[in-house]
Amino acid sequence: MKIEIRPSQETLEKWIKSFVPENDLFFLSEQELTSLEEYLHTVLVIPREEFKAHHSFNQIQLANSYEYWNISKDVPYVLVAPKDWITTLPAEKKTHLFHMQMKNGRGLIYPLPTSFILPSEINEYVIESDNQPHLVLQRAIWEELSYPIKSALMTEIARQWETWSCCEYPEHAPFYLKKFANTFPSHSGSNCLSAVLFAITQQEWMIHEWVHHQTFIMRLKQASYSLTSSEELVQGDIAIWENRQGVIQHAAYHIGDELFFNKSGQTFFNPWKIVDFAELKENWNECKISIYRKT
């Protein structure tokens, strides 16, 4: 049976505190940087390659908020600005900069439903694209918004990331998964691989980690999991989807009856959910599926 879930009030409060970073990041071309030349005396301009290797900017919440993976690879500079810098730009410059950030793929820019009413004082942070208003979130304006508006925005943004529909937690499922099943994380980082490792180890701390490919495979071997040719699923199996290069794109833990304990991304907008096998196969149909079983 399908049910709808939603984040708790406590979870929303934690999202609000961490979602919009303290400093603003802007991803710029050479031409865009030149157009802002007279306004750069209070900011840092970092070459993109140096930015990518910089420890301070590799934090998982920064990556998730700004959606690093979507930013155009052709953009050579990152402008790091204190929160008040954006407020000093002329309106025309500010609007142009926001449009360029949308074009370059930067995160923290979200379409707004026509029914969503924002205070008039933040109209300059709303831009039009494809005949729909988009809100550009910056730290200075985020601090000015009331808590009810922030809460409503967080809820709306979260719904744009992933459906809140999931399967009910079945009675036969392992009891230790119930604490997390069909709930939202409070912090970024947990991904599909860490969800599976928690499921097979019962080590609760692991579910909060950001686990990568090789670490995951090593832990499966340590837990005596190996590839099976069986087409019939049994409880405790792990389904793994790989791309053509053999890199794992997704994994989920079978709890029985073709239901899986699953997480679809590393943001806190991606809940730990109970989903059925058909949904997973549809979502990852371009990848090769393998089933691993404890021996």
Side-chain angles (χ1 to χ4, degrees), residues 120-157:
S120 58
E121 60 266 26
I122 69 167
N123 284 343
E124 59 187 316
Y125 293 85
V126 177
I127 59 175
E128 289 287 331
S129 179
D130 297 326
N131 297 317
Q132 184 175 12
H134 287 67
L135 176 63
V136 182
L137 291 177
Q138 305 291 151
R139 185 67 190 190
I141 197 62
W142 187 244
E143 292 181 355
E144 294 296 320
L145 295 175
S146 67
Y147 179 82
I149 291 178
K150 288 178 182 177
S151 181
L153 278 171
M154 283 283 84
T155 302
E156 175 60 34
I157 290 169

Side-chain angles (χ1 to χ4, degrees), residues 83-275:
K83 63 184 180 181
D84 294 332
W85 177 78
I86 192 66
T87 66
T88 67
L89 291 184
E92 184 178 338
K93 288 282 186 183
K94 188 183 302 180
T95 300
H96 179 71
L97 176 61
F98 290 159
H99 277 285
M100 289 303 99
Q101 294 311 287
M102 173 175 278
K103 175 186 174 184
N104 293 339
R106 197 203 85 169
L108 293 177
I109 304 175
Y110 293 97
L112 291 172
T114 53
S115 59
F116 204 98
I117 300 175
L118 290 170
S120 58
E121 60 266 26
I122 69 167
N123 284 343
E124 59 187 316
Y125 293 85
V126 177
I127 59 175
E128 289 287 331
S129 179
D130 297 326
N131 297 317
Q132 184 175 12
H134 287 67
L135 176 63
V136 182
L137 291 177
Q138 305 291 151
R139 185 67 190 190
I141 197 62
W142 187 244
E143 292 181 355
E144 294 296 320
L145 295 175
S146 67
Y147 179 82
I149 291 178
K150 288 178 182 177
S151 181
L153 278 171
M154 283 283 84
T155 302
E156 175 60 34
I157 290 169
R159 286 188 180 277
Q160 294 176 21
W161 277 83
E162 185 176 345
T163 174
W164 290 1
S165 175
C166 59
C167 298
E168 282 190 304
Y169 191 80
E171 293 182 2
H172 62 72
F175 72 95
Y176 60 90
L177 295 177
K178 192 171 185 178
K179 175 179 178 180
F180 295 98
N182 299 338
T183 68
F184 289 84
S186 299
H187 305 283
S188 288
S190 172
N191 64 359
C192 63
L193 304 186
S194 64
V196 170
L197 292 190
F198 164 63
I200 68 173
T201 65
Q202 300 187 41
Q203 294 294 309
E204 190 170 307
W205 69 272
M206 285 189 186
I207 201 171
H208 303 292
E209 297 299 304
W210 189 16
V211 175
H212 290 212
H213 176 105
Q214 293 183 7
T215 303
F216 180 70
I217 291 298
M218 288 180 64
R219 196 63 185 83
L220 290 192
K221 291 179 179 178
Q222 291 169 353
S224 300
Y225 273 83
S226 59
L227 182 65
T228 178
S229 59
S230 173
E231 296 182 0
E232 183 178 351
L233 289 169
V234 300
Q235 186 175 19
D237 281 352
I238 299 168
I240 294 176
W241 286 265
E242 297 175 324
N243 64 16
R244 293 180 180 179
Q245 290 72 43
V247 178
I248 295 174
Q249 302 300 295
H250 192 65
Y253 179 78
H254 183 228
I255 61 174
D257 295 337
E258 297 201 348
L259 295 174
F260 282 77
F261 181 65
N262 180 72
K263 193 174 189 294
S264 292
Q266 78 273 11
T267 78
F268 47 44
F269 296 140
N270 300 117
W272 296 291
K273 294 198 305 186
I274 304 301
V275 300

